[in-house]
Amino acid sequence: MSQQFRKTKITSTLGPATTGKIWTFDLLKSSDNAQNVKDAYDRLEGIFKAGTTVVRFNFSHGSMEEQEVRIEMVRTASKKLGIPISLLLDTKGPEIRIADMGKEGQTIEKGTNVTISALENKTGTSNSFSVTDSTGTYNMANDVKVKSKILVDDGKLFLEVTAVDVKKGIISAVALNSHLVKTNKRINLPGASYSMDFVSEKDKKDIILAAKYGFAYVAASFVNNASNVNEIRKILKDNGGADVQLISKIESTEGIENLDAIIQVSDGIMVARGDLGIEIPFETVPYWEKYMVDECRKAGKLVIVATQMLDSMERNLLPTRAEVTDVFYSVNIGADSSMTSGETAAGLFPVNSIQTMNKINVESEQTFDYEGAIELFKKNVKLAGNAYGKAVIEIAKKCVPSVKKGVAAYPYEFISVFTNEDILIKALSTIRPAAAIIVVTDDEKAYTKYGALYGVKTYLVDDLASAEESAAETLSKAINNYASVMGDGTINNKNVPTILTSGTKEITVKTIKIN
């Protein structure tokens, strides 16, 4: 029995912890900054080798140039290593932020009567602050009423509204606890229907940038309904980004209420547990996480579980046992990808965080219900009901391991497919086979398209038909290249169940022996 290659993907958020304080192209190219640049590339290569397959660009922070610098750095490191890395742009979304609170922030004490200005931007004090959105025109007074709760900084400060003057944009509230409030911290209004536009001008520019640079994914913040998804998809389509996949972040009560419709029009879902756990009762978040994973699997849509997965590893070398359990069960219920946030954006040990997540993912896959996954897949008429689906079911059955006391004996380390057919690749992933999926493709966009999709590892060739004619030689190169770069498993089994499709309408399944 060999150490199985990891199938669950890892999405890593970029920030100074990974790419350093390289905010401009001048800093990237400067000989005086060469050591900092080298260190940043070493960290990027480190997280890629450790298992990162998607990098998340958080557009709530940083300038446009800073993000473009990171795009160049990621693609340079990816090309050097020969590892396909998918790019994900996370929009700022219709969010409310604290305005200027001074360099050190201001402490608001429990019991303080607080004045919140929504239309006038003033520097905050110990009993007042201003709020704003990306347009600078949002009047938060429209969206609260007496007794409403206002949550500041991920719920670290609770305020209860005592009076509202909509015309003046003034909200009076009382602090229910004490907290140091700093500039740009987020505000949540649980249960509110926000009166601001869903797509701001900033978000529109950022979405167009995703199309321009060929991002694989756009993660849309605070999606509340199917119309929100369609609005972003139109912007992408109008700007040459029709093939950019749209992931809806579920972070509000309204998003939960419209979840099934959102899943249907999205390419995937991000279980954004941070804001979601503030907007809805936190004790219900685990239920909704499992619901979203299950429904996405039934619909053949990808799903990423995010927020605070290894939060303590921003500061520590080892995770808490609760965090290990959290990551383990997100994999065990069938998520496509787990995600880091601050761990790789601002933490002290970004590479170690990804190595840790990788170990947990592999361990969880040992006890995943692969037979149950096949039965769940059969309920998806769209994916299971055609010739592709039948081939996928046949191949997944071949790969089911025997399990004894949490240790799985896998019949195969890899399966493979020679194809550019998106629906076939997604069907293979959706059935959650107990082997990594080598997708041989000659489509450069497909090469970096599937970073968040369970199990899929792409290998780029010059010509798909020629590669299929010499399938054993191609697979030997693909698998050995992957294993040598990633090093997260041991190849013991030289037999690879393979779906052959290119150049013919006939679909065949055969086992190919690699060198």
Side-chain angles (χ1 to χ4, degrees):
M1 184 188 73
S2 68
Q3 169 67 56
Q4 182 75 350
F5 286 80
R6 176 182 50 84
K7 298 172 286 295
T8 306
K9 299 300 186 67
I10 297 176
T11 301
S12 299
T13 301
L14 297 183
T18 40
T19 54
K21 296 180 180 180
I22 305 170
W23 318 124
T24 66
F25 283 104
D26 286 343
L27 286 171
L28 181 64
K29 307 299 182 184
S30 171
S31 57
D32 292 338
N33 201 40
Q35 187 59 51
N36 289 332
V37 171
K38 180 184 182 302
D39 291 343
Y41 274 117
D42 286 346
R43 288 190 297 270
L44 271 179
E45 291 175 19
I47 67 169
F48 295 168
K49 290 178 181 178
T52 294
T53 50
V54 180
V55 288
R56 171 179 173 251
F57 294 74
N58 185 355
F59 272 64
S60 291
H61 305 283
S63 67
M64 186 71 78
E65 184 177 11
E66 180 183 336
Q67 302 292 6
E68 290 178 315
V69 167
R70 286 180 175 147
I71 292 169
E72 179 170 321
M73 294 179 73
V74 166
R75 288 188 162 157
T76 298
S78 170
K79 185 177 181 180
K80 176 184 174 183
L81 295 176
I83 299 174
I85 299 294
S86 298
L87 276 55
L88 181 151
L89 186 151
D90 197 324
T91 66
K92 184 179 179 70
E95 63 183 14
I96 315 163
R97 295 274 179 175
I98 298 282
D100 181 31
M101 294 298 287
K103 186 176 180 180
E104 303 299 329
Q106 295 282 344
T107 297
I108 294 178
E109 300 288 349
K110 178 180 178 180
T112 300
N113 292 314
V114 180
T115 300
I116 303 170
S117 300
L119 295 179
E120 189 175 0
N121 198 333
K122 305 175 182 178
T123 299
T125 69
S126 59
N127 64 0
S128 68
F129 59 82
S130 296
V131 296
T132 187
D133 71 333
S134 61
T135 69
T137 61
Y138 169 63
N139 184 359
M140 193 174 83
N142 285 310
D143 297 337
V144 297
K145 56 188 178 182
V146 174
K147 296 294 185 182
S148 291
K149 297 293 189 300
I150 298 174
L151 276 58
V152 180
D153 192 7
D154 291 334
K156 295 182 178 70
L157 175 65
F158 269 68
L159 303 171
E160 185 175 281
V161 177
T162 56
V164 181
D165 187 328
V166 174
K167 188 174 180 180
K168 293 182 179 179
I170 299 293
I171 302 161
S172 300
V174 61
L176 303 183
N177 66 298
S178 301
H179 182 62
L180 174 63
V181 180
K182 295 186 176 182
T183 303
N184 205 39
K185 292 299 181 181
R186 182 178 286 180
I187 283 187
N188 292 86
L189 308 176
S193 293
Y194 296 96
S195 56
M196 66 183 76
D197 291 338
F198 176 67
V199 179
S200 66
E201 281 303 310
K202 170 184 165 44
D203 280 346
K204 185 174 181 180
K205 290 178 182 176
D206 295 343
I207 292 163
I208 291 171
L209 179 139
K212 172 185 173 182
Y213 280 98
F215 274 60
Y217 308 103
V218 163
S221 296
F222 287 96
V223 169
N224 287 328
N225 51 58
S227 296
N228 293 160
V229 182
N230 293 332
E231 186 176 354
I232 292 181
R233 203 176 289 284
K234 184 177 187 305
I235 295 171
L236 286 168
K237 186 176 180 180
D238 290 346
N239 291 278
D243 55 347
V244 178
Q245 299 164 84
L246 189 49
I247 298 174
S248 295
K249 296 173 65 180
I250 305 301
E251 311 180 73
S252 66
T253 303
E254 193 174 348
I256 288 292
E257 291 171 350
N258 296 311
L259 183 56
D260 294 338
I262 293 170
I263 290 173
Q264 290 306 312
V265 297
S266 303
D267 296 298
I269 295 293
M270 183 183 289
V271 189
R273 303 179 304 178
D275 282 292
L276 183 62
I278 294 172
E279 296 275 338
I280 69 173
F282 60 80
E283 67 273 17
T284 67
V285 171
Y287 167 80
W288 287 111
E289 176 182 326
K290 188 173 187 308
Y291 181 89
M292 282 184 251
V293 172
D294 286 347
E295 292 306 305
C296 284
R297 289 176 62 191
K298 290 175 187 175
K301 306 295 178 75
L302 72 89
V303 57
I304 300 171
V305 176
T307 319
Q308 297 178 332
M309 302 206 79
L310 294 174
D311 187 62
S312 70
M313 293 193 75
E314 282 194 44
R315 304 160 299 281
N316 303 315
L317 280 167
L318 289 175
T320 67
R321 303 310 174 257
E323 289 167 342
V324 172
T325 302
D326 180 33
V327 175
F328 184 98
Y329 280 105
S330 72
V331 173
N332 221 243
I333 61 176
D336 285 271
S337 175
S338 51
M339 190 179 102
T340 61
S341 299
E343 303 95 317
T344 49
L348 298 175
F349 311 106
V351 177
N352 182 59
S353 296
I354 301 303
Q355 291 169 338
T356 300
M357 184 170 278
N358 185 53
K359 289 178 183 177
I360 302 168
N361 287 357
V362 170
E363 188 64 29
S364 182
E365 289 168 1
Q366 297 279 331
T367 56
F368 182 74
D369 183 5
Y370 294 103
E371 289 182 324
I374 295 171
E375 294 307 311
L376 185 67
F377 177 82
K378 290 178 180 178
K379 297 177 183 178
N380 186 315
V381 176
K382 182 178 179 181
L383 291 177
N386 56 30
Y388 288 155
K390 292 173 184 176
V392 164
I393 292 169
E394 179 185 343
I395 215 164
K397 285 180 177 179
K398 290 175 178 284
C399 299
V400 173
S402 59
V403 179
K404 186 176 182 180
K405 292 186 178 179
V407 178
Y410 294 90
Y412 302 101
E413 279 96 359
F414 295 96
I415 60 178
S416 65
V417 60
F418 290 72
T419 191
N420 291 325
E421 289 287 343
D422 186 68
I423 191 169
L424 174 55
I425 295 167
K426 288 181 176 176
L428 268 171
S429 175
T430 300
I431 204 169
R432 301 292 192 265
I437 305 160
I438 298 292
V439 174
V440 180
T441 177
D442 59 5
D443 183 341
E444 289 192 8
K445 285 187 176 181
Y447 181 60
T448 56
K449 182 178 180 179
Y450 300 105
L453 208 60
Y454 172 97
V456 175
K457 305 176 190 303
T458 54
Y459 183 71
L460 188 64
V461 295
D462 292 330
D463 180 72
L464 189 58
S466 298
E468 188 172 346
E469 288 177 4
S470 55
E473 181 182 351
T474 302
L475 286 180
S476 294
K477 290 178 180 178
I479 291 170
N480 284 295
N481 174 73
Y482 173 76
S484 66
V485 173
M486 300 299 289
D488 66 350
T490 304
I491 303 172
N492 285 350
N493 194 324
K494 300 295 186 178
N495 295 315
V496 183
T498 302
I499 298 175
L500 301 173
T501 63
S502 68
T504 175
K505 293 182 179 180
E506 186 176 341
I507 300 167
T508 59
V509 177
K510 63 185 294 187
T511 299
I512 293 176
K513 188 175 181 65
I514 65 170
N515 298 322

